[in-house]
Amino acid sequence: MAEEGTPAGARVRAQHEVRARHEFRGMRTAEHLFTVPLDHSAPSGETITVFAREYVSAAHSEDKAAQLPWLLFLQGGPGGRGNRFGSLGGWSKAAARDFRILMLDQRGTGLSSPIDRNTLPLRGPAGSQAAYLAHFRADSIVADAELIRDALGSGPWTVYGQSYGGFCALSYLSFAPEGLREVLVTGGLPPLSGPADDVYRATFQRVAARNAEYFGWYPEDRATVERIARHLRSTPEFLPDGGPLTVERFQMLGAYLGGNTRVDSLHYLLEDAFTEADGGARLSDVFLDQVQSIVSRRANPLYALMHESIYGQGQATGWSAWRVLDEYPEFRPDAEPLLLTGEMVYPWYFEQDPALRPLKEVAGLLAAKEDWRPLYDPHRLAANTVPVAAAVYSDDIYVDRKLSLETASAVRGLQVWETADFHHDGIADDGEGIFGRLLGMVRSGGR
């Protein structure tokens, strides 16, 4: 990947060290640390650390494993660290038969110069924090990956992108296709242009349909949801971290609706929402503890800060989901019946979530930022020569089918497998089958 601002003839290299190696439960791991530029257009400036963990099946001898090609896995998010495997299973078990898996903590997550409510203020005032965060999007993640690939001595490698990882994979195809042997994408074909508003108009409609489907399966939960909403409107309730549980935060439990493997868990969560207390019914500790794990961004504040920026190219996102919500009043917290929402991010997150309150000003600056750089190169994608296969989930409430298919048609040679059998969490449902099908598609050149 060419580095803008690099002196002629100079070559940027990442410092690389292996911190530790372990073997357990049928796999070997190695912990890799890389030092890369914060700003890839100014490679001689400030640096950050990027962490990745290597997973190899112990079925391969060490000598044989060293000859295996690399597969880079790009996790969903933004703001999600790489998976920590206790053993190989699902897609990772399938991939480890033929690859060394490199599980990347994308910059700002996990052990990669992590960003949170404690570390970000160390950058200085909100304006400095926003300028720093501008270097934590897909284009920078791709530039990191290319330096890492070079440091590992790998030829073009296989990239597997889930959700936001698929967005990053399309950026990779745009800016550094020479580093790619083949690309697999699950639930992650982004719109290549257009405002973020288009995304939320589509996803609000899909979330409404998913609500109807859910309450068709569990009609008794409709009464429970309404009871919880009435209770929250009249009775203050607080989560274990001290933050308020409001109706709008309760609506965030719609995150469960985004998957086959999680949707039934919503019913189990709701069934013991209430307990009897002195003075009447209150929300149970069991319920509140589980709700906090969904609605708090303490563990991944980058998601709330950067989520809308993944659609920003040359224009401000301007709290897009919050503005588009006005077109869908059925999702308002005072609506009856109450609907649960999806992955939308609203400005009140930074008032009601204690972990996000220190980041409210910087979030506003990012929402107003107009000069986001392009994340995709439509001309290069139209001339693509890298084999690409993508699973598009027909009813995905996070990555819209129609927008995904429009993107697929704009990438030369991209093969689509559309299926209604899975939702956004498909690789948690049948990771081995999905991975095998996509790999077969790019290797055979056909569907």
Side-chain angles (χ1 to χ4, degrees):
M1 186 174 190
E3 303 296 343
E4 183 181 349
T6 303
R11 186 177 183 187
V12 180
R13 289 187 179 276
Q15 297 178 30
H16 174 215
E17 65 173 290
V18 178
R19 186 169 68 177
R21 298 181 185 274
H22 302 283
E23 182 171 347
F24 56 98
R25 286 186 287 281
M27 65 183 182
R28 292 191 294 273
T29 69
E31 299 172 1
H32 298 267
L33 290 173
F34 305 90
T35 303
V36 302
L38 168 66
D39 181 354
H40 284 277
S41 70
S44 61
E46 181 180 354
T47 61
I48 61 172
T49 298
V50 172
F51 173 84
R53 182 175 278 109
E54 173 186 351
Y55 293 98
V56 177
S57 172
H60 302 297
S61 68
E62 292 191 13
D63 288 343
K64 182 179 178 182
Q67 303 304 312
L68 291 174
W70 287 98
L71 180 144
L72 174 69
F73 183 75
L74 296 174
Q75 170 71 308
R81 69 177 187 171
N83 296 329
R84 269 58 174 168
F85 293 139
S87 61
L88 295 171
W91 75 262
S92 64
K93 181 179 179 180
R97 297 185 188 115
D98 302 301
F99 295 96
R100 281 186 285 178
I101 299 169
L102 192 70
M103 180 64 64
L104 182 67
D105 279 357
Q106 298 165 16
R107 54 169 53 200
T109 75
L111 298 176
S112 294
S113 294
I115 291 173
D116 59 29
R117 63 192 173 99
N118 298 308
T119 63
L120 191 57
L122 299 177
R123 303 299 306 185
S128 298
Q129 295 175 39
Y132 182 67
L133 287 168
H135 300 298
F136 286 78
R137 297 204 306 161
D139 51 349
S140 296
I141 293 168
V142 168
D144 292 343
E146 275 297 273
L147 292 184
I148 290 169
R149 185 177 67 85
D150 179 69
L152 294 173
S154 173
W157 56 8
T158 301
V159 166
Y160 188 20
Q162 156 66 13
S163 188
Y164 176 63
F167 288 35
C168 295
L170 268 288
S171 293
Y172 214 143
L173 286 166
S174 294
F175 303 131
E178 66 278 4
L180 300 171
R181 175 187 178 185
E182 59 208 356
V183 172
L184 315 178
V185 174
T186 53
L189 289 180
L192 301 180
S193 62
D197 296 21
D198 292 345
V199 173
Y200 294 111
R201 288 190 181 97
T203 53
F204 269 121
Q205 294 172 36
R206 290 206 177 272
V207 175
R210 188 65 164 164
N211 271 264
E213 189 174 33
Y214 175 79
F215 290 117
W217 293 330
Y218 294 105
E220 67 272 30
D221 288 358
R222 167 48 66 200
T224 303
V225 165
E226 296 304 320
R227 182 187 177 194
I228 293 171
R230 289 194 302 271
H231 176 80
L232 291 174
R233 292 180 187 120
S234 63
T235 306
E237 292 278 9
F238 296 90
L239 298 172
D241 66 358
L245 178 57
T246 58
V247 176
E248 52 266 38
R249 293 189 88 188
F250 170 60
Q251 288 178 284
M252 293 170 67
L253 294 186
Y256 279 104
L257 301 178
N260 280 343
T261 62
R262 300 181 69 220
V263 65
D264 300 300
S265 298
L266 177 58
H267 173 69
Y268 299 143
L269 171 64
L270 293 172
E271 68 183 1
D272 57 357
F274 285 95
T275 188
E276 290 302 317
D278 185 21
R282 299 299 300 260
L283 295 179
S284 71
D285 289 342
V286 171
F287 176 78
L288 292 171
D289 189 63
Q290 293 177 83
V291 170
Q292 177 170 296
S293 69
I294 297 296
V295 307
S296 173
R297 296 299 177 195
R298 179 184 296 270
N300 60 342
L302 266 184
Y303 181 91
L305 284 166
M306 301 298 291
H307 185 264
E308 287 198 355
S309 81
I310 68 178
Y311 304 111
Q313 299 186 89
Q315 59 186 336
T317 58
W319 296 114
S320 175
W322 182 241
R323 289 184 292 98
V324 172
L325 177 64
D326 285 341
E327 302 173 24
Y328 298 91
E330 64 269 32
F331 281 98
R332 291 182 56 83
D334 57 358
E336 294 184 4
L338 189 74
L339 295 183
L340 304 177
T341 58
E343 63 174 2
M344 299 77 172
V345 174
Y346 305 122
W348 55 257
Y349 277 25
F350 295 87
E351 299 168 356
Q352 297 190 21
D353 187 336
L356 296 181
R357 285 173 189 154
L359 308 177
K360 178 180 178 179
E361 186 177 358
V362 68
L365 291 175
L366 292 171
K369 181 178 171 63
E370 297 180 340
D371 58 345
W372 292 113
R373 292 183 297 186
L375 292 170
Y376 313 105
D377 184 336
H379 298 293
R380 205 163 191 181
L381 292 173
N384 173 62
T385 60
V386 178
V388 187
V392 172
Y393 305 129
S394 302
D395 302 310
D396 196 328
I397 67 170
Y398 297 143
V399 180
D400 180 67
R401 168 192 177 274
K402 180 176 180 291
L403 296 177
S404 294
L405 294 179
E406 288 176 0
T407 294
S409 68
V411 180
R412 181 175 178 266
L414 189 153
Q415 301 176 65
V416 171
W417 167 41
E418 183 181 350
T419 175
D421 292 339
F422 305 103
H423 277 261
H424 196 68
D425 63 347
I427 62 171
D429 206 354
D430 183 15
E432 188 168 4
I434 291 171
F435 176 83
R437 178 157 183 164
L438 293 177
L439 186 64
M441 288 168 66
V442 295
R443 293 286 172 88
S444 68
R447 299 178 189 276

